Amino acid sequence: MSDAQLTARSLELLLGTWRTSAASYAALADRIRLLVLDGRIPIGTRLPAERDLAGRLQLSRTTVAAAYRQLREGGFVDSVRGSGSVTRLPGRTLPLPATGGEGMLDFTKASLPAASPLAAAARAAAEELPRFLPDPGYDPVGLPHLRAEIAERYTRRGLPTDPGQILVTVGAQQAIALIARTFLQRGDRVVIEVPTYPHAIEAMRLAGARLVPITVTAPEEGPHRLGEETDGWDAEGIEQTFRRANPALAYLIPDFHNPTGASMSPETRRRVLAAAAGHGTIVVADETTAELDIDRVGEYLPLPGYADPATPAAPIVMIGSASKTLWGGLRIGWIRAERSHIQRLIAAKPATDLGTPVIEQLVVAQLLPQLAEIAEERREQLRLGRAEVHRLVAETFPEWTVPPQHGGLTAWVGIGAPVSSALALAARSHGLLIAAGPRFGLDGAFERFLRIPITYTPEEYDRAFTALSRAWAVAASEPAPYFDQGALPSVV
């Protein structure tokens, strides 16, 4: 029996505007299937009882039973007498739709191919490995010379750091989960941006946090020099949120925010730090995308104010990663924090992990001194991807809006109608996996947005936009009232 259970009310919020011109049972099954595929309903979650959901959605119980039956037949639900209907996936991998051609094009991953020096770095790391083989190989803290290199990078950015303030992790995701598990108690409030990185939401919820959202909007046309950003955060609103919620922790992506691409201005950063200091809130700055600038001028500065005596001191924990800059297959991340916080994190780490892979640490240590050259390579790749996305949106969907993005890996595209989930579901039938806007929000919001990576090749974009064009014809084929903004129910 599953421990996770979804109430009828919670499922109703996740469903959003789910009714289409299809039969009600089919439309309901399709939307639940997408929520499972997108991860918004975790695997192993018990769905509401048929009677409860029917009452909540004002449907007949026969309709809900038919939807659940379709989900069972597709392998997305197991129903056991006495245990209810529990979500699952149909096998180890999802079957490819018949119309998917040679295979699915996966746009759910905003990631670049390996940096060009990586192969040589891997060979050098393999030659270096023998001197570490006499040791047991369990490395819970990180190789000393890698931690020293990471610390030196922070020092060069104006934040004096020693290796004792660095903990190397198995990617940034482990860092987020470890921070949540270490510094949060069940029921603690956490300020989190919406939209945001969805796996951060999951990590905070698994730690028992109560999420308090603050809104981030995509940047507008304007300056892109450091210190002149068009800010997507409401500083006054954030201050009010801190006063109202008294949060234990705030998780922020201040540079090239995922998914909007916005960058927080220095003034907003200072106000966030001051608000956090006033409430003893730990500020977690996720910098995994911070070095992926395309045309911003100047060295990025994470949450300025560390060395500024005019800014009240707030406890700050910073997350970095090799995966976005170097390669997703290098599962190496790190945490920068005060020594007392690092010691707590080290003590908590063995509960889920006994050590970070040595060979991957050696590869990253080889590559960090080359980051300036790698950043130029990434800048050109992202510039080309950005140009392709802007061109194809203008040609294929002139009614869509693409905000300027001066860095990061994604475009947060406004599609003009609350059909993002329907579009993502239809795209699967045409060979494209893409994350719907609500994947990055809470309780079904952001149906009018679609996250499109800027990390792919022109050939892949041609395939993707062909699939989106065909899928749009399906998603946008609803009766006129569906697009009547005044007639739409609120998206929570």
Side-chain angles (χ1 to χ4, degrees), residues 44-412:
T45 299
R46 190 186 307 115
L47 296 175
E50 294 172 1
R51 180 183 290 106
D52 293 344
L53 186 59
R56 189 76 198 183
L57 300 181
Q58 297 183 340
L59 297 170
S60 71
R61 184 174 176 182
T62 302
T63 298
V64 175
Y68 280 14
R69 182 171 61 252
Q70 190 171 93
L71 290 167
R72 283 196 301 273
E73 291 171 352
F76 287 88
V77 162
D78 279 331
S79 294
V80 180
R81 187 177 297 276
S83 298
S85 298
V86 179
T87 57
R88 61 180 290 267
L89 287 178
R92 296 181 63 84
T93 59
L94 291 174
L96 299 181
T99 55
E102 295 180 358
M104 299 295 283
L105 179 59
D106 189 355
F107 266 39
T108 64
K109 296 177 177 62
S111 59
L112 290 161
S116 57
L118 193 142
R123 289 191 291 270
E127 293 176 359
E128 192 179 4
L129 180 63
R131 69 186 181 96
F132 294 89
L133 296 180
D135 298 328
Y138 293 100
D139 179 21
V141 181
L143 296 178
H145 72 289
L146 175 59
R147 291 163 57 219
E149 178 65 34
I150 294 169
E152 176 58 26
R153 288 184 58 76
Y154 283 111
T155 299
R156 288 198 299 269
R157 289 166 53 195
L159 179 60
T161 303
D162 63 64
Q165 294 174 277
I166 302 296
L167 172 63
V168 179
T169 61
V170 183
Q173 181 58 37
Q174 186 192 58
I176 295 169
L178 179 61
I179 290 166
R181 193 174 68 249
T182 302
F183 296 116
L184 293 176
Q185 297 181 8
R186 185 162 296 277
D188 280 350
R189 291 182 175 88
V190 172
V191 166
I192 196 161
E193 298 154 329
V194 289
T196 193
Y197 176 55
H199 298 304
I201 294 174
E202 294 160 5
M204 301 302 167
R205 281 178 165 165
L206 283 173
R210 298 168 61 186
L211 303 184
V212 182
I214 56 173
T215 301
V216 182
T217 57
E220 300 174 357
E221 293 290 351
H224 53 263
R225 293 184 63 87
L226 181 65
E228 299 176 358
E229 288 89 345
T230 304
D231 206 331
W233 288 260
D234 175 6
E236 183 177 350
I238 293 173
E239 291 168 338
Q240 292 174 355
T241 299
F242 272 79
R243 286 195 295 270
R244 183 183 73 253
N246 193 26
L249 186 145
Y251 171 82
L252 308 172
I253 309 175
D255 283 276
F256 307 131
H257 175 267
N258 181 11
T260 68
S263 289
M264 190 182 288
S265 69
E267 174 60 24
T268 298
R269 299 175 199 231
R270 281 189 284 270
R271 293 175 70 171
V272 169
L273 284 181
H279 295 273
T281 303
I282 297 174
V283 175
V284 178
D286 185 338
E287 297 187 318
T288 54
T289 56
E291 291 186 282
L292 294 167
D293 67 285
I294 301 174
D295 42 29
R296 186 175 70 179
V297 180
E299 183 74 12
Y300 73 97
L301 296 172
L303 294 171
Y306 295 107
D308 183 358
T311 302
I316 303 172
V317 178
M318 299 162 65
I319 296 172
S321 173
S323 299
K324 297 297 187 186
T325 308
L326 302 177
W327 185 43
L330 279 178
R331 305 308 305 151
I332 297 295
W334 54 84
I335 299 171
R336 191 274 179 201
E338 294 305 314
R339 283 177 174 269
S340 59
H341 287 153
I342 292 293
Q343 290 303 314
R344 288 184 62 184
L345 291 163
I346 292 172
K349 193 167 181 278
T352 55
D353 170 64
L354 296 178
T356 304
V358 172
I359 186 69
E360 293 186 30
Q361 292 188 72
L362 294 175
V363 173
V364 173
Q366 291 281 339
L367 290 170
L368 284 183
Q370 305 177 57
L371 269 186
E373 294 81 6
I374 292 171
E376 287 298 323
E377 176 185 50
R378 295 319 204 187
R379 185 173 293 114
E380 183 59 25
Q381 290 171 320
L382 293 170
R383 185 178 291 121
L384 291 173
R386 178 180 65 178
E388 281 297 297
V389 170
H390 281 250
R391 178 183 69 82
L392 285 165
V393 167
E395 292 177 359
T396 314
F397 303 104
E399 69 274 25
W400 290 9
T401 58
V402 187
Q405 68 257 44
H406 302 301
L409 298 166
T410 62
W412 189 234

